[in-house]
Amino acid sequence: MFESELLSGLHFSLDAGVPTLWHVEVTPGAAPAVTCAPLVAMIRPSEATLKAQLDFVNGWSDLRSDRTREIVAQMAPQYAFWGSVVPLYRARHAKTLELLHLVLQLAKYAEMNFKHALCVRRPHEYSAQVQPMIQTPAHGSLPSGHSTEAHAVAMVLYELMSTSPGGAANQQLRELLLRQAARIAINRTVAGVHFPVDSMAGQMLGMSIADYFIARTRPATSAGGGAAAPTSIGAWKFDGANFPGGTDFSGAEHVTATTGVRNTTVYALQTALPAAGPSVKGSDTMNWLWKAAASEWA
């Protein structure tokens, strides 16, 4: 039910050759009105850029002996790693874990559509010297799914901690969650299965997924019984055509960890094209789950 609630408001298109994830708003009525606004768009990097990124893939491989166990453990959803920053216990935090599962499902829906649309080959398909240390997934490389999911979870967890009963905004918590998300993404380059540009695109997508998810968990009904005001979120575009091949990924390029502010660059743009960013209505159903999860941290 929750997955249907989330995914029913999204549409993926390939119009004009630019893969775009849209937010769809349906206004009930005898003839329901539909409005659409872009959430994320992505443009593929050039072949020259991807080949230039091989230098970083080869350089990061020096860390394989130090990070092998960590990389293998992170092949599955990284609950243990998030739980090292925000304690997560199934007996205490069942609703929180259900909430995070939904974040991952939403992220997977978005990332897999972009992966298949952009068709970016993996590093080892450009050079036999890469020799990935783990099995390489068969689907496309950009955006990185691990980066998308880790950054989406980091921001949702931070928001949940900040708004839970007795909780408070904590700069250190945000910073630790985002730095850990970046490490999870970088480990995929260390393993030889992703380019740094994949992690950059995934970070941007993950942050947008988090913004959308959080907006959907707001109540749809105000305290007075009327409709609550929607949440306006930005529309972002990852312009791989302008991504410099000599740029590595550290995690700090698109977001400032201490403040959570998203930064614009020549390849990560907050754009009003082809239309303004969406105004997302909250969901009473999703808000119920959010409040149940927040109560577990009282």
Side-chain angles (χ1 to χ4, degrees):
M1 183 180 68
F2 292 128
E3 289 178 15
S4 176
E5 185 81 0
L6 282 171
L7 298 182
S8 62
L10 294 173
H11 173 71
F12 189 82
S13 76
L14 280 171
D15 295 340
V18 179
T20 304
L21 184 65
W22 298 78
H23 169 63
V24 179
E25 197 72 65
V26 179
T27 302
V34 178
T35 56
C36 300
L39 181 60
V40 183
M42 287 192 172
I43 297 175
R44 192 184 192 280
S46 68
E47 289 294 294
T49 294
L50 296 170
K51 290 176 182 178
Q53 292 267 289
L54 286 171
D55 289 338
F56 294 114
V57 178
N58 290 327
W60 280 108
S61 67
D62 289 343
L63 294 178
R64 288 183 180 181
S65 59
D66 293 332
R67 299 197 185 182
T68 297
R69 292 183 179 181
E70 188 177 330
I71 288 169
V72 172
Q74 288 171 352
M75 291 174 68
Q78 300 86 46
Y79 287 104
F81 293 87
W82 303 320
S84 68
V85 180
V86 177
L88 293 170
Y89 302 100
R90 187 161 298 279
R92 302 182 195 171
H93 306 122
K95 290 294 186 289
T96 298
L97 292 170
E98 186 173 2
L99 194 76
L100 295 184
H101 172 76
L102 289 170
V103 176
L104 293 176
Q105 292 299 100
L106 182 61
K108 286 181 184 297
Y109 168 83
E111 75 202 31
M112 292 307 295
N113 272 291
F114 279 113
K115 281 176 180 288
H116 287 292
L118 295 169
C119 297
V120 174
R121 291 183 291 168
R122 298 276 177 170
H124 76 290
E125 295 181 89
Y126 287 92
S127 172
Q129 291 179 312
V130 172
Q131 298 182 39
M133 60 176 291
I134 57 176
Q135 185 172 5
T136 305
H139 49 255
S141 194
L142 187 147
S144 162
H146 275 65
S147 183
T148 302
E149 295 161 23
H151 284 94
V153 167
M155 292 309 296
V156 170
L157 261 181
Y158 172 74
E159 184 72 14
L160 183 66
M161 295 298 96
S162 301
T163 59
S164 61
N170 185 316
Q171 174 184 318
Q172 186 182 53
L173 176 62
R174 183 202 292 114
E175 187 171 0
L176 287 172
L177 285 168
L178 286 174
R179 290 189 184 280
Q180 185 188 69
R183 184 177 176 106
I184 289 170
I186 290 169
N187 277 346
R188 301 293 283 178
T189 300
V190 175
V193 298
H194 273 296
F195 297 106
V197 66
D198 301 340
S199 295
M200 191 78 68
Q203 183 186 59
M204 196 200 78
L205 178 58
M207 301 290 285
S208 292
I209 289 299
D211 288 345
Y212 185 80
F213 187 89
I214 292 166
R216 291 287 284 145
T217 61
R218 303 302 187 219
T221 308
S222 68
T231 302
S232 295
I233 60 178
W236 288 82
K237 178 169 72 174
F238 181 80
D239 189 353
N242 283 321
F243 186 86
T247 299
D248 200 357
F249 174 77
S250 70
E253 293 79 10
H254 179 57
V255 59
T256 303
T258 54
T259 63
V261 174
R262 298 175 68 176
N263 308 314
T264 58
T265 65
V266 296
Y267 51 83
L269 310 168
Q270 188 167 15
T271 175
L273 297 175
S279 292
V280 181
K281 291 181 181 178
S283 161
D284 288 333
T285 301
M286 291 301 303
N287 181 246
W288 176 88
L289 181 61
W290 182 275
K291 290 190 293 187
S295 68
E296 294 175 334
W297 301 92

